[in-house]
Amino acid sequence: MFEDILGWIILGIVILVIVYLIVRSIGIYNRFYTLKNSSEATLGQIRVAMKKRLDMIDQLLGAVKSYAKFEQDTFTKVTAMRASVATAGPGDLNKMETESRSIFGRLLAVAENYPDLKTAGTVASLMGSVKGLEDDIARQRYTYNNISQQFNTMMDTIPSNFIGNLAHLKKLEYLQFEEAIATPPKIEF
């Protein structure tokens, strides 16, 4: 009789451990997908902000083209970047960030060279908006990289890495715009 009770207690403990492991695994799996969905949403917000910035740069180009002769490929680059920002991955966004910062730097140089342009209401407003979008992109990039760090840490640590590998998940790529920030934009005309 004591052996029967002991057998039931052991069976109960085993069942509780199995249930705990299943619930814990489901929690880890759900955390992975919560982070993955958050990263995709944040990338979407970055794309929207970058598209807005490119739209404003395009407007600035239109406003300053009577003051400076920009190469035709500058207009083509901005148009191409605007068209591809919606489908860009983290690596592509890194390249677009560098290129759009360079174009914006050249536009700022034009405004510096032509004081009457700098004080024009439309140009001043657009430049302020672009600078505001720069801050928004920086905040979103920071958020995305934090989410990526959490996701990637889970992919590297036990026991979550087992579940991540079973679900065929891959580490998230970081947005690395730091090089563009450290390097001042080239101002060429």
Side-chain angles (χ1 to χ4, degrees):
M1 177 140 141
F2 178 71
E3 292 172 357
D4 288 339
I5 294 173
L6 185 61
W8 283 106
I9 291 173
I10 291 174
L11 180 64
I13 291 172
V14 168
I15 290 173
L16 285 175
V17 167
I18 290 171
V19 168
Y20 170 78
L21 290 175
I22 290 171
V23 169
R24 178 83 169 119
S25 297
I26 290 170
I28 290 171
Y29 179 85
N30 288 341
R31 180 71 178 144
F32 269 125
Y33 278 92
T34 298
L35 290 171
K36 184 177 178 290
N37 291 337
S38 293
S39 74
E40 290 170 0
T42 304
L43 267 179
Q45 292 169 347
I46 291 170
R47 286 184 187 110
V48 167
M50 287 182 75
K51 182 173 181 333
K52 282 182 188 177
R53 178 175 63 185
L54 290 167
D55 288 345
M56 288 181 190
I57 289 173
D58 191 38
Q59 292 174 11
L60 276 169
L61 285 170
V64 300
K65 69 180 166 184
S66 63
Y67 287 89
K69 299 202 189 259
F70 279 95
E71 302 166 4
Q72 183 60 34
D73 66 293
T74 303
F75 293 107
T76 306
K77 284 179 188 175
V78 170
T79 303
M81 284 190 293
R82 283 177 44 217
S84 63
V85 76
T87 58
D92 297 327
L93 289 175
N94 287 333
K95 291 175 193 169
M96 284 183 193
E97 172 69 11
T98 302
E99 203 165 329
S100 64
R101 279 183 177 274
S102 173
I103 292 169
F104 186 59
R106 286 184 276 165
L107 288 170
L108 290 175
V110 169
E112 292 293 323
N113 291 333
Y114 297 96
D116 55 327
L117 175 65
K118 189 176 177 181
T119 59
T122 303
V123 172
S125 173
L126 284 170
M127 288 175 69
S129 296
V130 171
K131 288 178 182 177
L133 283 169
E134 295 287 337
D135 293 340
D136 188 40
I137 291 169
R139 279 190 303 278
Q140 295 298 338
R141 183 183 65 242
Y142 178 80
T143 300
Y144 175 84
N145 284 342
N146 279 341
I147 292 168
S148 296
Q149 179 186 15
Q150 291 175 36
F151 186 94
N152 293 344
T153 299
M154 287 181 68
M155 287 297 294
D156 288 338
T157 57
I158 296 173
S160 57
N161 63 342
F162 297 124
I163 294 167
N165 289 329
L166 284 173
H168 303 290
L169 298 174
K170 303 259 188 259
K171 284 185 164 185
L172 296 175
E173 185 178 342
Y174 291 103
L175 290 175
Q176 299 177 2
F177 295 167
E178 290 80 20
E179 292 175 12
I181 293 168
T183 307
K186 291 182 183 177
I187 301 171
E188 303 169 346
F189 297 105

